[in-house]
Amino acid sequence: MKNKYFYINTIGCQMNVYDSDNIASSLVSLGYNKTDSYESADLIIINTCTIREKAKEKAFSFIGRLNKLKKKNPDLIIGVGGCVAQQEKEKIFTRMPHVNFVFGTHTISNLPDIIKKVKSGKNKIIDVQFTSNIHENSNFTNFVPEQAVSKFITIMRGCENYCTYCVVPSVRGKEISRKPDAILKEINYLVNSGVKEITLLGQNVNSYGKKENLCSFPRLLSMVNDISKLKRIRFTTSHPKDLTEGLVASFNLLDKLCNHIHLPVQSGSNKILKKMNRKYTVENYLNKIDNLRRVCPDIAISSDIIVGFPGESISDFNETTALIKEVEFDGLFVFGYSDRQNTQASSFPDKLPEKEKNRRLNTLLDIQEKYSRKKNSALINSVQHVLIEGLSKKQKTAKSSNGFLQWTGRTSSNKIVNFEVKNNIKFNDCYKVGNIVEIKIEKAFNNSLKGVPLHR
Ligand code: SAH
Ligand code: SF4
Ligand code: F3S
C-alpha cells in the first residue's frame, strides 16, 4: 500500500505548537507519515490563531490556496483546527467549501474518529464543543520528536482573566490545570527521547493549580527541577498580577530554571491598564521588576505592548514610552490594537486609525532597538552557558569551506548565540546538539550574539 502523508500548518502561539505535536501524534497513530511539503500531503491540517485580525487572515489565505490542490486531487483531506475554527465554527465551510472538517481547541483527541468518518465518505464534519475536563492524550508517546532539544508542554488550558481586548477566553474556554503527575510523566517521556529543555505553557502559568487546589506553580517547578536528565526549564506567560514572591524566589532556588521571564505589561498608562482590565498598576509592575532584579540580578525581562488601544491619548502613549525607558527590557513585542469578536474593547469608543497605530508601533520599536543592543552589548567578554540547538542558519545552507562549523544555541537568558568550532573528532563530542557549552561573547547585534568556545 502507498504511504500516506500529513502536513500541519501551525499559526499562532506556543500552545498551538504543542497542540500540533499532539495532532501529529494522532496522525502517526493512524498510519500517516510527516511531510514538510504540503503539495505532497494526503491530509493537511491548519492549526489557526485569531489573536489579531492578521493572524486570522493568514489562515484563510493559506486555506484558500489549497483549493487548487483539492481540485487536482479530490481525495486530499483538509481539516481546520485551533482558535479560528473555535470562533467561526461552521462558517468556515461557507467561506472555504473545500474544507472537509473543522475541530476546536478542546476536541483534538477526537481527531482519529473524525478522520475515520471523512474516509468513510462523510463530509463537512464539525466538532467544536467545549469540555470541562482535560483529556490526557494517550497517543502522545507515538510521536518521538525529531532530535528536538527544546519542547513546549501545556500545563493548563483556557483563561478567565478577560482582558477586554482579548479573544483567548472565548476560544480556549475556562481555565483548567493539568494534574502534576500527568505533566511530570510527559516531561519524563520527552527527556528520555532526548529533549534537554522544556517550556511550561499556560495563558497565565503563575495561576497554575489555584482553581483546582493542585500544587502551587513554584512547587510544580521544583518537581520538574528534580528530573535528573532535564537541563533547563522555562515558562510562559506570566501575568504580572500573579507573580508572587514565591515564584520570584524560584529563580534563585532552582538551578535549572533559566534566568528569563516574559512579563507582558501591555501599557504604561494606568488609565489604559484599567480599561484593559489588567488588574495591576504601573507602580505594581515596576515593583515586581525591582523584586525580580533584586533576587536574580542578571535576569532577562521581555514584554508585550499593545499600542493604539481605544482611547489611548498621546499622553497615555508617552507614559508607555517612559515605562520602556525606565525598565530597559531585553526584548519587546509590540502590537497594534486589533478589534476582536465578542470582546468588550470591540465596543469601546475612540478607536484609533491604523496609520496612527503604526506610527506608535514603530516609535516603540525604534526606542527598544537601542535597549536590546545595549543589553546584548553588556554581555561582550562574558562567558555564557549555551545550549546547542543545531547548526546555524548560515551553516545549513552553505558547506563549511574553512574546516569550521557554525553552531547556534541559547543562553539561559534566552539570547541567541552563534559560534564556530573546528569540525574534527576532538571537538565533535563536546560541540553537538543538546550539550551546554561555555562560549565567550565577542560581538553583539540587535537580536543575537557571536562568540568563541572557551575550550578549543
Ligand atoms: N496570556 C498572555 C498572552 C496573550 S496573547 C498574556 O496575558 O500576556 C499575546 C499577546 O498578544 C498579548 O500579550 C497582547 O500583547 C497581544 N494581544 C492580545 N490581544 C490583542 C488584540 N486584540 N490586539 C492586539 N494585540 C493583542
Ligand atoms: Fe488574554 Fe488576558 Fe488571558 Fe492573556 S491573561 S490570555 S491577554 S485574557
Ligand atoms: Fe492565537 Fe489561540 Fe494562541 S488565538 S495566540 S493560537 S491561544
Side-chain angles (χ1 to χ4, degrees):
M1 215 178 75
K2 192 178 157 275
N3 274 341
K4 292 274 184 198
Y5 289 94
F6 74 86
Y7 176 89
I8 306 178
N9 183 354
T10 307
I11 305 169
C13 65
Q14 292 120 328
M15 246 168 235
N16 264 11
V17 175
Y18 175 78
D19 286 349
S20 287
D21 277 353
N22 276 305
I23 294 170
S25 79
S26 267
L27 301 181
V28 168
S29 75
L30 291 176
Y32 282 89
N33 302 290
K34 187 176 168 231
T35 169
D36 291 326
S37 122
Y38 69 89
E39 283 101 341
S40 60
D42 304 280
L43 168 60
I44 299 179
I45 293 207
I46 306 95
N47 195 6
T48 61
C49 170
T50 185
I51 196 78
R52 286 168 292 275
E53 192 60 23
K54 261 191 207 145
K56 184 174 172 181
E57 285 314 314
K58 194 170 163 189
F60 278 121
S61 123
F62 180 77
I63 304 165
R65 267 188 281 146
L66 299 181
N67 202 9
K68 247 200 204 154
L69 274 184
K70 180 89 172 184
K71 279 197 177 126
K72 263 197 274 174
N73 171 17
D75 291 336
L76 172 66
I77 301 176
I78 301 174
V80 180
C83 295
V84 176
Q86 192 65 53
Q87 187 179 42
E88 296 292 309
K89 304 186 174 71
E90 56 283 337
K91 279 192 245 154
I92 302 258
F93 297 127
T94 322
R95 189 162 164 188
M96 300 283 159
H98 54 293
V99 168
N100 296 92
F101 65 92
V102 170
F103 62 105
T105 54
H106 288 196
T107 50
I108 290 170
S109 53
N110 297 349
L111 268 180
D113 282 345
I114 300 174
I115 291 167
K116 272 177 210 151
K117 280 187 196 149
V118 174
K119 285 188 157 170
S120 71
K122 290 211 176 79
N123 202 13
K124 304 225 184 316
I125 296 174
I126 178 130
D127 190 357
V128 289
Q129 80 278 11
F130 273 163
T131 52
S132 55
N133 59 329
I134 285 199
H135 180 95
E136 292 297 344
N137 191 347
S138 53
N139 282 325
F140 193 84
T141 47
N142 286 332
F143 193 61
V144 179
E146 313 104 38
Q147 240 208 355
V149 174
S150 182
K151 276 282 174 192
F152 299 123
I153 160 165
T154 292
I155 61 165
M156 59 201 296
R157 186 176 78 186
C159 182
E160 289 170 35
N161 286 313
Y162 296 100
C163 302
T164 55
Y165 51 80
C166 186
V167 73
V168 171
S170 84
V171 290
R172 292 271 170 173
K174 296 261 180 231
E175 183 181 298
I176 173 168
S177 296
R178 295 177 64 188
K179 297 214 166 64
D181 286 0
I183 296 168
L184 294 171
K185 194 172 149 204
E186 198 168 308
I187 298 175
N188 269 307
Y189 166 73
L190 289 171
V191 167
N192 285 330
S193 56
V195 170
K196 308 291 181 200
E197 172 184 273
I198 56 118
T199 305
L200 306 178
L201 298 179
Q203 292 299 348
N204 181 10
V205 276
N206 33 19
S207 73
Y208 170 83
K210 264 193 202 162
K211 227 175 110 181
E212 297 83 0
N213 236 337
L214 298 169
C215 68
S216 70
F217 185 54
R219 175 77 194 115
L220 179 71
L221 283 174
S222 136
M223 290 193 283
V224 176
N225 197 70
D226 288 341
I227 297 179
S228 61
K229 277 196 273 178
L230 181 67
K231 291 186 179 172
R232 282 183 170 178
I233 309 168
R234 301 182 187 279
F235 60 82
T236 197
T237 305
S238 307
H239 193 304
K241 78 175 166 64
D242 294 311
L243 184 73
T244 58
E245 299 218 342
L247 183 54
V248 174
S250 303
F251 283 102
N252 218 349
L253 293 171
L254 305 177
D255 59 319
K256 293 176 187 173
L257 185 59
C258 290
N259 56 350
H260 167 235
I261 187 165
H262 184 63
L263 197 62
V265 62
Q266 312 298 1
S267 171
S269 150
N270 282 334
K271 182 190 99 190
I272 297 295
L273 286 175
K274 195 146 192 236
K275 283 193 181 179
M276 287 176 162
N277 190 29
R278 287 292 288 180
K279 302 186 184 92
Y280 53 83
T281 60
V282 172
E283 293 71 27
N284 296 152
Y285 185 84
L286 292 175
N287 255 331
K288 307 251 170 173
I289 299 282
D290 282 349
N291 279 345
L292 281 163
R293 287 185 169 151
R294 197 170 23 80
V295 172
C296 184
D298 56 354
I299 195 163
I301 304 175
S302 57
S303 198
D304 291 346
I305 283 189
I306 298 178
V307 291
F309 186 80
E312 185 188 73
S313 67
I314 286 289
S315 86
D316 293 322
F317 175 67
N318 289 342
E319 288 186 81
T320 301
T321 314
L323 176 112
I324 292 175
K325 289 181 178 167
E326 173 155 5
V327 176
E328 302 195 356
F329 291 109
D330 291 77
L332 192 65
F333 298 91
V334 187
F335 308 105
Y337 169 78
S338 169
D339 253 345
R340 306 317 292 136
Q341 246 174 57
N342 301 326
T343 59
Q344 279 190 56
S346 64
S347 59
F348 286 177
D350 305 321
K351 300 272 163 64
L352 275 82
E354 285 305 312
K355 209 172 148 201
E356 180 56 17
K357 285 192 266 187
N358 280 332
R359 191 193 68 79
R360 294 183 190 188
L361 189 142
N362 288 323
T363 307
L364 292 195
L365 290 181
D366 281 350
I367 297 172
Q368 178 56 34
E369 204 180 287
K370 252 198 348 235
Y371 295 112
S372 297
R373 192 181 270 259
K374 180 177 165 189
K375 292 276 164 176
N376 284 348
S377 300
L379 298 181
I380 292 177
N381 289 328
S382 72
V383 173
Q384 296 290 319
H385 289 97
V386 173
L387 173 59
I388 305 179
E389 290 176 357
L391 290 172
S392 73
K393 269 190 216 148
K394 203 168 104 191
Q395 189 70 65
K396 275 187 196 152
T397 50
K399 274 228 149 56
S400 163
S401 53
N402 55 359
F404 281 79
L405 287 176
Q406 194 180 69
W407 294 93
T408 191
R410 270 168 212 269
T411 63
S412 166
S413 58
N414 210 28
K415 297 185 195 285
I416 296 169
V417 179
N418 293 309
F419 61 93
E420 284 188 345
V421 184
K422 225 183 191 141
N423 183 14
N424 68 22
I425 296 171
K426 188 174 152 214
F427 294 123
N428 288 1
D429 208 33
C430 174
Y431 296 95
K432 63 181 182 196
V433 170
N435 278 8
I436 294 181
V437 293
E438 289 183 313
I439 304 292
K440 183 160 183 225
I441 304 302
E442 289 190 328
K443 279 192 184 151
F445 308 97
N446 290 350
N447 297 312
S448 67
L449 301 163
K450 199 163 179 211
V452 292
L454 201 60
H455 307 289
R456 284 183 289 172

